[in-house]
Amino acid sequence: MINFALIGNQNSGKTTLFNQLTGSNQHVGNFPGVTVDRKDGYILGYKDRVITDLPGIYSLSPYTNEEIVTRDFLLDEKVDCIVNILDATNIERNLYLTLQLIELQIPMVLAINMMDEMRTNGGTIKINEFSRAIGVPCVPISAAKNEGIQDLVHEMMRVAVNKIRPEKIDFCAGAVHRCLHGISHMIEDHAVAAGLPRRFAASKLIEGDEPLAKRLNLTQNELEMIEHSVVEMEKECEMDREAAMADMRYCFIENLCRNTVIRPTVSKEYLRSVKIDSILTSKYFAIPAFVLIMGLIFYLTFGPIGTFLSDGFALIIDWIINYISELLIQFEINPVVHSLVVDGIFAGISSVLSFMPVIVVLFFFLSILEDSGYMARVAFIMDRPLRQLGLSGKSFVPMLIGFGCSVPAIMATRTLSSERDRKMTILLTPFMSCTAKVPIYSVFALAFFPNHAAEVMILLYATGIVVGIGFAMILKKTVYKGAPIPFVMELPNYRMPSAKSVLLLMWEKAKDFITRAFTIIFLASIIIWFLQSFDLRFNLVEDSSYSILANIGQIIAPIFAPLGFNDWRAATALITGFSAKEAVVSSLAVLLKTSADQLPTMLSSMFTTASAFSFLLFTLLYTPCVAAIAAVKREMGSVKSTIALIVTQCAIAWIIAFIFYTCASLIL
Amino acid sequence: MTLDELNVGEKAVITAVNGEGALRRFLLGMGCTPKTEVTLQKIAPMKDPIEIRLRGYTLTLRLEDAKNIEVKYL
């Protein structure tokens, strides 16, 4: 078995190269303990050559989760060969990471990507000279056009099998050079004992990398000597240690590029980006353009395309359910088992699976936004308002998707680079009222506010947003008190997204969702079916008002007395809303023993206008549905925070509805 | 003067990067090192953040963080 690690800057075409190298032969997972994607795949044509796609990073300093994960992976796992992908059109900054990787002294190949773009613009890299100067084998490629990939694979095999390590390690001169050498000799024994490459350890010590210093187990005396030598170096360079190290690397890079890289005078891709941005990020058109683009995506996803696919999907599922149902009847299977399979498991799973087309379509658009480079512009435009909440512009899109469905919204937080931002965004998303709640709003609006349905809807959506903002403010002051991760982000050139990457991402998300539907949601469906079908003596009930669920509804109903609806049927309907929000309406119809079109009339006998609105406020804000909770649990990676979110949301919902109902009763 | 004081389209050269910790190291790593030329390309529609061009690529950062980057005209 030979293990490769694929590493490079963000926007360097890393995922595209990974897809070219492995095809659909990928396994997606998480690095232990953090929600950082880890993808492994077999290289096409080789059964025992695995390549791991590491997160896109700019440096090996231990600050972001992605950097820590990558460092630990390279230092602790047995990596036979690093494949470092560089963007030829942005080679200077890309080489900064390369120089740090070289210090690890692991066999390495440089894949110089986007060479086609470089050449069509009249520039080039003198590959042989470049390779000699940096001491690492280089292969020019174009990942998007699948050019040079075979050469790269051959070179990767040659380097890995013959263990060809980077030849050079000195990129420095003068004071920094002396300091690095001195320290690297001093710590040699410690580095060997800790299993760390000594040059890498020395650089990181100078940069003040504490986790690494601890790992080296240095004596007090040695630490002082190192400090002394670094201070000497700082004096001589007239720069502090961090700036001196960065300056040293960039000086080497500038020199290397001067001799081996012919830069194009103009880049068509850059000029095109500037042109596109003259609308998409301009002073007056940026926000209208953004509203238009998101509106179109929403319309297509939740409108014609989504509905068409969802309906088609539902038809197929119905057909399967009917077929199985008939089969069970034909073989005279016990009616309880029949009910479990048809009304419990299949009904539960199919209600969740019917989300799937919408999710796949949404991710289709999202991956286009992401891969084309527009998502970075959204963050640029929307950063300012979100900063007040302690977030950055990148959180805007996931929250917006929350108005469609919380599940893909929570899944989309993966694109956020900071763990803190990601978690805060996940916690805020459920406050954006999703489309599944619309049927509840419309039934109640029809019954109680027939002439003001639109105003009621707008008021509910606005309440969700306002409460979400308040919740964010509280989170910022309590749980996520630390300083927000600064917002410094590259704005890449606009690029045509590759069909292969988009399709693979859609497939990945669909697979992920199906897996979840058949595990956690499967279990939840069985539990809800059981509670709905049996009474407290475990007898099967004909009438669901005698079921365990109705009993639970009766027990908890008094909790809602201060909100104005001390009614077991309302309470029971709210519990069923846990499986899917649409279920609130259907359960109310069942429990009131009425049809859907008669429901509004029946509701007006059950609620007053004030208690009806209070009920709506409660449904707006209380616990997300089981599919969303499953997504939260997965992305937060913590059962505790997930339960905390459910409890907090229910509490907030109760308090808001209570305040409203109390005020309303006083006024009315 | 500091980077946030530039006007749109103006070019300058970095003289020092102040501040500390992760942000500073990140800025240095992204190539905001002394003697590097930068151009202020654009200001976001809501007046913040800003878009700068350096070393052949485009970077966006907040005004507050741009205050840490000292520049002088060429």
Side-chain angles (χ1 to χ4, degrees), chain A residues 58 61-63 89-90 92-93 96 207-208 239-240 242-243 246-247 250 254 270 277-278 281-283 286-287 380-385 387 391-392 486-491, chain B residues 17 20-36 41-51 53-65:
Chain A
Y58 296 107
S61 57
Y63 284 108
T89 64
N90 186 1
E92 276 192 24
R93 202 207 56 220
Y96 188 80
E207 286 175 306
M239 262 188 267
D240 67 289
E242 287 173 353
D247 188 62
Y250 271 109
E254 280 164 22
Y270 173 60
D277 269 343
S278 70
T281 64
S282 72
K283 202 168 166 186
I287 291 165
F380 174 67
I381 302 166
M382 289 298 168
D383 180 61
R384 184 144 193 192
R387 195 181 317 167
L391 292 170
S392 82
F487 176 72
V488 181
M489 189 187 61
E490 185 185 359
L491 287 177
Chain B
V17 182
E20 55 183 25
L23 172 67
R24 176 163 194 263
R25 203 179 300 206
F26 189 70
L27 286 172
L28 288 167
M30 294 299 271
C32 297
T33 51
K35 297 190 286 291
T36 308
Q41 298 241 106
K42 192 175 264 185
I43 297 173
M46 297 190 213
K47 307 270 182 256
D48 195 6
I50 57 170
E51 187 185 315
R53 182 110 183 138
L54 75 159
R55 295 187 187 272
Y57 78 98
T58 312
L59 192 68
T60 164
L61 72 168
R62 292 173 175 167
L63 284 177
E64 188 191 330
D65 299 327

Side-chain angles (χ1 to χ4, degrees), chain A residues 86-316:
Chain A
L86 304 169
D87 173 358
T89 64
N90 186 1
I91 192 116
E92 276 192 24
R93 202 207 56 220
N94 277 258
L95 279 167
Y96 188 80
L97 176 66
T98 308
L99 293 193
Q100 297 183 52
L101 291 172
I102 286 175
E103 289 180 336
L104 292 169
Q105 285 296 299
I106 297 171
M108 179 152 123
V109 181
L110 298 186
I112 304 184
N113 194 19
M114 312 207 195
M115 275 305 276
D116 54 325
E117 207 175 298
M118 189 81 168
R119 288 189 184 123
T120 52
N121 284 313
T124 193
I125 295 173
K126 299 174 192 159
I127 293 290
N128 291 333
E129 286 172 47
F130 180 87
S131 172
R132 225 174 298 130
I134 198 161
V136 182
C138 299
V139 184
I141 63 165
S142 164
K145 294 194 175 147
N146 206 6
E147 286 167 10
I149 306 296
Q150 277 315 310
D151 296 342
L152 175 65
V153 171
H154 286 149
E155 197 63 4
M156 281 160 59
M157 298 308 164
R158 186 179 75 86
V159 167
V161 170
N162 300 313
K163 300 196 188 327
I164 303 173
R165 293 172 206 279
E167 287 165 17
K168 273 196 174 173
I169 201 162
D170 275 329
F171 304 106
C172 46
V176 180
H177 177 82
R178 282 194 298 280
C179 180
L180 255 174
H181 262 254
I183 293 175
S184 121
H185 281 293
M186 196 194 312
I187 60 160
E188 190 164 2
D189 296 344
H190 291 281
V192 171
L196 293 168
R198 69 185 170 121
R199 181 37 110 51
F200 176 76
S203 296
K204 292 295 153 198
L205 279 175
I206 297 179
E207 286 175 306
D209 183 333
E210 276 168 26
L212 203 101
K214 270 202 198 98
R215 211 162 138 169
L216 283 168
N217 221 350
L218 299 165
T219 63
Q220 193 56 37
N221 189 26
E222 284 164 322
L223 283 171
E224 275 161 24
M225 277 163 71
I226 291 169
E227 183 60 25
H228 176 76
S229 124
V230 175
V231 170
E232 284 292 299
M233 184 265 292
E234 284 179 325
K235 268 188 214 145
E236 216 179 313
C237 298
E238 295 174 333
M239 262 188 267
D240 67 289
R241 56 199 73 186
E242 287 173 353
M245 291 296 285
D247 188 62
M248 172 273 282
R249 293 200 181 104
Y250 271 109
C251 281
F252 174 82
I253 292 169
E254 280 164 22
N255 201 25
L256 172 72
C257 293
R258 207 171 296 131
N259 298 326
T260 59
V261 178
I262 300 165
R263 281 211 191 77
T265 41
V266 281
S267 149
K268 272 191 300 211
E269 288 74 14
Y270 173 60
L271 291 179
R272 190 178 62 194
S273 292
V274 170
K275 223 181 246 169
I276 298 175
D277 269 343
S278 70
I279 296 171
L280 292 187
T281 64
S282 72
K283 202 168 166 186
Y284 300 108
F285 295 112
I287 291 165
F290 172 68
V291 171
L292 205 73
I293 291 171
M294 289 315 292
L296 192 69
I297 290 176
F298 254 68
Y299 171 71
L300 290 175
T301 311
F302 295 102
I305 300 184
T307 320
F308 173 75
L309 289 175
S310 281
D311 291 352
F313 209 64
L315 271 178
I316 297 171

Side-chain angles (χ1 to χ4, degrees), chain A residues 45-61:
Chain A
Y46 297 87
K47 284 239 159 65
D48 56 346
R49 313 276 150 108
V50 176
I51 185 157
T52 305
D53 186 15
L54 294 169
I57 54 167
Y58 296 107
S59 142
L60 282 183
S61 57

Side-chain angles (χ1 to χ4, degrees), chain A residues 332-402:
Chain A
E332 292 172 6
I333 305 289
N334 184 305
V336 182
V337 176
H338 177 270
S339 167
L340 169 67
V341 172
V342 175
D343 305 329
I345 299 173
F346 272 99
I349 289 179
S350 71
S351 75
V352 174
L353 275 189
S354 60
F355 284 132
M356 209 183 74
V358 167
I359 287 174
V360 171
V361 173
L362 202 54
F363 270 98
F364 168 75
F365 289 120
L366 281 186
S367 63
I368 289 178
L369 290 191
E370 178 78 37
D371 292 357
S372 66
Y374 183 63
M375 209 70 114
R377 269 74 180 182
V378 172
F380 174 67
I381 302 166
M382 289 298 168
D383 180 61
R384 184 144 193 192
L386 283 166
R387 195 181 317 167
Q388 318 300 328
L389 308 181
L391 292 170
S392 82
K394 294 182 194 168
S395 303
F396 200 82
V397 171
M399 287 206 264
L400 202 65
I401 297 167

